[in-house]
Amino acid sequence: MNTPDFLESPPVSDSVTDYDEQHFVTYLRLLDAAADDADWREIAKLVFGIDPLADPQRAKSVHDAHLDRARWMAKSGYTQLLSRN
């Protein structure tokens, strides 16, 4: 799967950003993995291409920041996407 370039942390905003839209599939993958209790190290490697053994702090930080944003999108951000039509 081709993952778009990602930042260390998604932009913080009360509105859906272009970054959020570009990473919508990434957010879905993170939410699915969290629901399945997948190990964050495996997800960091598969989704972000970060080796958690070589750079555990970065891998955890990137994973957690994007998962937090994915949860925000699932809770509130999606309504903004629906109201755009």
Side-chain angles (χ1 to χ4, degrees):
M1 177 177 263
N2 196 7
T3 303
D5 291 336
F6 63 89
L7 300 173
E8 296 297 304
S9 181
V12 177
S13 174
D14 290 334
S15 300
V16 174
T17 66
D18 289 341
Y19 185 88
D20 294 324
E21 290 186 39
Q22 292 169 0
H23 289 82
F24 191 75
V25 171
T26 300
Y27 293 161
L28 292 175
R29 292 177 73 195
L30 291 169
L31 292 169
D32 283 345
D36 289 342
D37 292 322
D39 188 311
W40 68 265
R41 289 171 281 264
E42 181 180 349
I43 302 312
K45 186 166 186 148
L46 291 173
V47 174
F48 298 107
I50 302 171
D51 182 350
L53 297 175
D55 199 350
Q57 187 173 19
R58 178 173 177 248
K60 179 79 167 137
S61 175
V62 169
H63 170 271
D64 290 354
H66 283 81
L67 180 56
D68 286 346
R69 189 63 178 180
R71 288 179 172 147
W72 176 83
M73 284 287 292
K75 183 177 178 184
S76 1
Y78 79 93
T79 59
Q80 294 176 29
L81 293 176
L82 294 175
S83 67
R84 288 187 179 179
N85 294 329

